[in-house]
Amino acid sequence: MDRTAQLTTRRTERDTAHDPPPAPAGLHGRAAAVLHANWTGTSTVPSRTLYPHQWSWDSAFIAIGLRHLSPLRAQRELETLLAAQWGDGRVPHIVFNPAVPFDAYFPSPDFWRSAGAGRAAGAPRTVQTSGIVQPPVHALAAWLVHRADPELSRARGFLAGLYPRLAAWHRYLLHRRDLGGGGLVSVVHPWEQGMDNSPCWDAPLARVAPAPARSFCRADLEHSAAQDRPTDLDYGRYVRLAADYRDRGYADDKGDFAVEDPAFNALLIASEHALARIAHELGAPGSARRARAERLTGVLVERLWDPARSQFFCRDVVGGGLIGERGVSGLIPLLLPALPREQAAALVATLTGPHFGLGTATRLVPSYDLLGESFDPHRYWRGPAWFNTGWLIERGLRTHGERERADALARALVATAAASGFAEYVDPYTGEPCGTPDFGWTAALTLDLLHGARGRSTGAGVSLGAGETFGKSSDRDSRGGDGG
């Protein structure tokens, strides 16, 4: 048996095994059980009920947690997603499972009609997908997954197989989605940004005539309380935007909705840094990507930073100007290592001040301004706290030297995940669970935080700090190999 076969056979046998569990052992096992239950054989669903397909940025976050249980499965998670990439480079936000009935989720494959409507954009013929995208966390996830077991990764050609797809994905965003002409990426639908129902979208969405209520049937209300979900009016606008984009053959233009979002662009920059590390691992120079990441950080500050309000804001490309709603998206650029010290310090002050209240009024970071007129602690992205945004901010705090705050947030995320049954999202004040339980990325990121806490307590560095991801700290991975 050759070396590759030996490695992959060995890892397949361990596919359902855990690493030695950190304390508390019960929580580690519970989180692992969620990921095992949500595994389909090739990928992980966010939820068996509410979200029964593969979602793009969910899979990236899930892979980050899976790397602690099975690096092989984490690699497969990303490989499965990127196998559905379109010819123009876009990574669709949903890859549909053909075994799931159409009425289990809306919009279903017969709404998106990807193979037909997306033919000019190179939609795949053998798998059904949506036609919109989600935030580009994938290169960051791929790098972290590689670092979990570099030997297996190299033997399988994991990074070598993914790199061209990840490069094409970034190229699509940078070249086809610069709708504002200033160098940043625009989203053309609220679902693309991932924070679907944020008040940040209210003003640009007001231009959109909603689809008639009788033209669609919402499956989400069968699994979640109506008061926690988007209103029918907002949902009708989402459907109209998606249908119009489909009917244009998924051609990228401003349409009625085009917004430069700080979190989406910050995650692209973070993944450009990761792609530079991947290129170096594969023997190619990464200097151009690092330079691009630093240049884009400057553009982000120039276009989306408001010094008077000490936060990043979305820019309405169609209507013009910054959108004055304070969403958690405006805090995510704290993740970036090249963010100027002045902006980083101001973001920490905003995060811990009255608008988000972290460490005083709230236990986790709310998704929207506590003082905003539209704040609702339970309604989808209009106030509740989410675990993926909390994880990103925890890394950002650590990147900029805020170790005590990062440790406190990590402890709060883990405790709340445990108490809530790995809820999709929670009330930021009380931790009361909302949405669906046993949510994929909540369990996955809990595992990552547990391993990070063990690494910090033992000095083993099991979970890389954000600075290490971008080269501010040691390049040496947790198993003693050189991360490149």
Side-chain angles (χ1 to χ4, degrees), residues 442-457:
T442 304
L445 297 176
T446 298
L447 280 172
D448 192 63
L449 290 167
L450 285 171
H451 279 255
R454 183 177 72 172
R456 288 190 294 276
S457 66

PDB file of all heavy atoms in Angstrom, residues 442-457:
ATOM      1  N   THR A 442     -22.453  26.338  15.643  1.00  0.00           N
ATOM      2  CA  THR A 442     -22.358  26.560  17.079  1.00  0.00           C
ATOM      3  C   THR A 442     -21.567  25.433  17.732  1.00  0.00           C
ATOM      4  O   THR A 442     -20.661  25.674  18.543  1.00  0.00           O
ATOM      5  CB  THR A 442     -23.759  26.662  17.703  1.00  0.00           C
ATOM      6  OG1 THR A 442     -24.502  27.695  17.035  1.00  0.00           O
ATOM      7  CG2 THR A 442     -23.678  26.972  19.182  1.00  0.00           C
ATOM      8  N   ALA A 443     -21.876  24.191  17.372  1.00  0.00           N
ATOM      9  CA  ALA A 443     -21.139  23.052  17.915  1.00  0.00           C
ATOM     10  C   ALA A 443     -19.684  23.071  17.459  1.00  0.00           C
ATOM     11  O   ALA A 443     -18.763  22.831  18.252  1.00  0.00           O
ATOM     12  CB  ALA A 443     -21.816  21.753  17.485  1.00  0.00           C
ATOM     13  N   ALA A 444     -19.462  23.368  16.177  1.00  0.00           N
ATOM     14  CA  ALA A 444     -18.097  23.338  15.630  1.00  0.00           C
ATOM     15  C   ALA A 444     -17.209  24.388  16.277  1.00  0.00           C
ATOM     16  O   ALA A 444     -16.059  24.112  16.654  1.00  0.00           O
ATOM     17  CB  ALA A 444     -18.149  23.547  14.114  1.00  0.00           C
ATOM     18  N   LEU A 445     -17.721  25.605  16.409  1.00  0.00           N
ATOM     19  CA  LEU A 445     -16.891  26.673  16.968  1.00  0.00           C
ATOM     20  C   LEU A 445     -16.718  26.522  18.471  1.00  0.00           C
ATOM     21  O   LEU A 445     -15.725  26.979  19.036  1.00  0.00           O
ATOM     22  CB  LEU A 445     -17.485  28.032  16.591  1.00  0.00           C
ATOM     23  CG  LEU A 445     -17.509  28.286  15.065  1.00  0.00           C
ATOM     24  CD1 LEU A 445     -18.190  29.611  14.748  1.00  0.00           C
ATOM     25  CD2 LEU A 445     -16.103  28.249  14.474  1.00  0.00           C
ATOM     26  N   THR A 446     -17.679  25.862  19.124  1.00  0.00           N
ATOM     27  CA  THR A 446     -17.483  25.507  20.532  1.00  0.00           C
ATOM     28  C   THR A 446     -16.287  24.575  20.670  1.00  0.00           C
ATOM     29  O   THR A 446     -15.429  24.752  21.553  1.00  0.00           O
ATOM     30  CB  THR A 446     -18.748  24.848  21.106  1.00  0.00           C
ATOM     31  OG1 THR A 446     -19.836  25.779  21.059  1.00  0.00           O
ATOM     32  CG2 THR A 446     -18.532  24.410  22.550  1.00  0.00           C
ATOM     33  N   LEU A 447     -16.201  23.570  19.804  1.00  0.00           N
ATOM     34  CA  LEU A 447     -15.042  22.673  19.818  1.00  0.00           C
ATOM     35  C   LEU A 447     -13.746  23.450  19.610  1.00  0.00           C
ATOM     36  O   LEU A 447     -12.744  23.217  20.298  1.00  0.00           O
ATOM     37  CB  LEU A 447     -15.185  21.624  18.718  1.00  0.00           C
ATOM     38  CG  LEU A 447     -16.088  20.435  19.016  1.00  0.00           C
ATOM     39  CD1 LEU A 447     -16.269  19.594  17.754  1.00  0.00           C
ATOM     40  CD2 LEU A 447     -15.514  19.589  20.135  1.00  0.00           C
ATOM     41  N   ASP A 448     -13.755  24.387  18.667  1.00  0.00           N
ATOM     42  CA  ASP A 448     -12.538  25.143  18.400  1.00  0.00           C
ATOM     43  C   ASP A 448     -12.129  25.967  19.609  1.00  0.00           C
ATOM     44  O   ASP A 448     -10.947  26.046  19.953  1.00  0.00           O
ATOM     45  CB  ASP A 448     -12.730  26.039  17.179  1.00  0.00           C
ATOM     46  CG  ASP A 448     -11.419  26.627  16.699  1.00  0.00           C
ATOM     47  OD1 ASP A 448     -10.535  25.855  16.289  1.00  0.00           O
ATOM     48  OD2 ASP A 448     -11.263  27.864  16.761  1.00  0.00           O
ATOM     49  N   LEU A 449     -13.103  26.573  20.279  1.00  0.00           N
ATOM     50  CA  LEU A 449     -12.795  27.365  21.464  1.00  0.00           C
ATOM     51  C   LEU A 449     -12.315  26.478  22.613  1.00  0.00           C
ATOM     52  O   LEU A 449     -11.415  26.865  23.378  1.00  0.00           O
ATOM     53  CB  LEU A 449     -14.020  28.180  21.878  1.00  0.00           C
ATOM     54  CG  LEU A 449     -14.392  29.321  20.917  1.00  0.00           C
ATOM     55  CD1 LEU A 449     -15.785  29.852  21.239  1.00  0.00           C
ATOM     56  CD2 LEU A 449     -13.368  30.446  20.982  1.00  0.00           C
ATOM     57  N   LEU A 450     -12.903  25.294  22.768  1.00  0.00           N
ATOM     58  CA  LEU A 450     -12.439  24.370  23.798  1.00  0.00           C
ATOM     59  C   LEU A 450     -10.987  23.970  23.556  1.00  0.00           C
ATOM     60  O   LEU A 450     -10.177  23.935  24.483  1.00  0.00           O
ATOM     61  CB  LEU A 450     -13.321  23.123  23.824  1.00  0.00           C
ATOM     62  CG  LEU A 450     -14.714  23.275  24.441  1.00  0.00           C
ATOM     63  CD1 LEU A 450     -15.535  22.016  24.190  1.00  0.00           C
ATOM     64  CD2 LEU A 450     -14.624  23.556  25.934  1.00  0.00           C
ATOM     65  N   HIS A 451     -10.654  23.676  22.322  1.00  0.00           N
ATOM     66  CA  HIS A 451      -9.272  23.302  22.010  1.00  0.00           C
ATOM     67  C   HIS A 451      -8.338  24.495  22.171  1.00  0.00           C
ATOM     68  O   HIS A 451      -7.199  24.334  22.599  1.00  0.00           O
ATOM     69  CB  HIS A 451      -9.188  22.734  20.596  1.00  0.00           C
ATOM     70  CG  HIS A 451      -9.604  21.305  20.518  1.00  0.00           C
ATOM     71  ND1 HIS A 451      -8.705  20.267  20.375  1.00  0.00           N
ATOM     72  CD2 HIS A 451     -10.835  20.727  20.598  1.00  0.00           C
ATOM     73  CE1 HIS A 451      -9.367  19.120  20.349  1.00  0.00           C
ATOM     74  NE2 HIS A 451     -10.663  19.366  20.487  1.00  0.00           N
ATOM     75  N   GLY A 452      -8.819  25.681  21.844  1.00  0.00           N
ATOM     76  CA  GLY A 452      -8.000  26.873  22.040  1.00  0.00           C
ATOM     77  C   GLY A 452      -7.707  27.122  23.499  1.00  0.00           C
ATOM     78  O   GLY A 452      -6.581  27.470  23.871  1.00  0.00           O
ATOM     79  N   ALA A 453      -8.700  26.907  24.368  1.00  0.00           N
ATOM     80  CA  ALA A 453      -8.497  27.093  25.804  1.00  0.00           C
ATOM     81  C   ALA A 453      -7.497  26.081  26.329  1.00  0.00           C
ATOM     82  O   ALA A 453      -6.627  26.396  27.142  1.00  0.00           O
ATOM     83  CB  ALA A 453      -9.825  26.960  26.540  1.00  0.00           C
ATOM     84  N   ARG A 454      -7.580  24.827  25.843  1.00  0.00           N
ATOM     85  CA  ARG A 454      -6.628  23.814  26.270  1.00  0.00           C
ATOM     86  C   ARG A 454      -5.218  24.181  25.815  1.00  0.00           C
ATOM     87  O   ARG A 454      -4.246  24.043  26.560  1.00  0.00           O
ATOM     88  CB  ARG A 454      -7.021  22.449  25.701  1.00  0.00           C
ATOM     89  CG  ARG A 454      -6.099  21.332  26.182  1.00  0.00           C
ATOM     90  CD  ARG A 454      -6.541  19.978  25.672  1.00  0.00           C
ATOM     91  NE  ARG A 454      -6.282  19.823  24.257  1.00  0.00           N
ATOM     92  CZ  ARG A 454      -6.444  18.672  23.597  1.00  0.00           C
ATOM     93  NH1 ARG A 454      -6.914  17.617  24.238  1.00  0.00           N
ATOM     94  NH2 ARG A 454      -6.178  18.594  22.314  1.00  0.00           N
ATOM     95  N   GLY A 455      -5.119  24.684  24.582  1.00  0.00           N
ATOM     96  CA  GLY A 455      -3.808  25.064  24.078  1.00  0.00           C
ATOM     97  C   GLY A 455      -3.191  26.206  24.858  1.00  0.00           C
ATOM     98  O   GLY A 455      -1.998  26.204  25.154  1.00  0.00           O
ATOM     99  N   ARG A 456      -4.024  27.186  25.236  1.00  0.00           N
ATOM    100  CA  ARG A 456      -3.497  28.320  25.997  1.00  0.00           C
ATOM    101  C   ARG A 456      -3.081  27.894  27.399  1.00  0.00           C
ATOM    102  O   ARG A 456      -2.127  28.413  27.963  1.00  0.00           O
ATOM    103  CB  ARG A 456      -4.533  29.441  26.045  1.00  0.00           C
ATOM    104  CG  ARG A 456      -4.699  30.153  24.722  1.00  0.00           C
ATOM    105  CD  ARG A 456      -5.552  31.403  24.867  1.00  0.00           C
ATOM    106  NE  ARG A 456      -6.927  31.103  25.219  1.00  0.00           N
ATOM    107  CZ  ARG A 456      -7.872  30.784  24.338  1.00  0.00           C
ATOM    108  NH1 ARG A 456      -7.585  30.684  23.060  1.00  0.00           N
ATOM    109  NH2 ARG A 456      -9.102  30.556  24.730  1.00  0.00           N
ATOM    110  N   SER A 457      -3.831  26.941  27.974  1.00  0.00           N
ATOM    111  CA  SER A 457      -3.519  26.536  29.350  1.00  0.00           C
ATOM    112  C   SER A 457      -2.285  25.641  29.420  1.00  0.00           C
ATOM    113  O   SER A 457      -1.586  25.616  30.425  1.00  0.00           O
ATOM    114  CB  SER A 457      -4.719  25.809  29.966  1.00  0.00           C
ATOM    115  OG  SER A 457      -4.961  24.585  29.300  1.00  0.00           O
TER     116      SER A 457
END
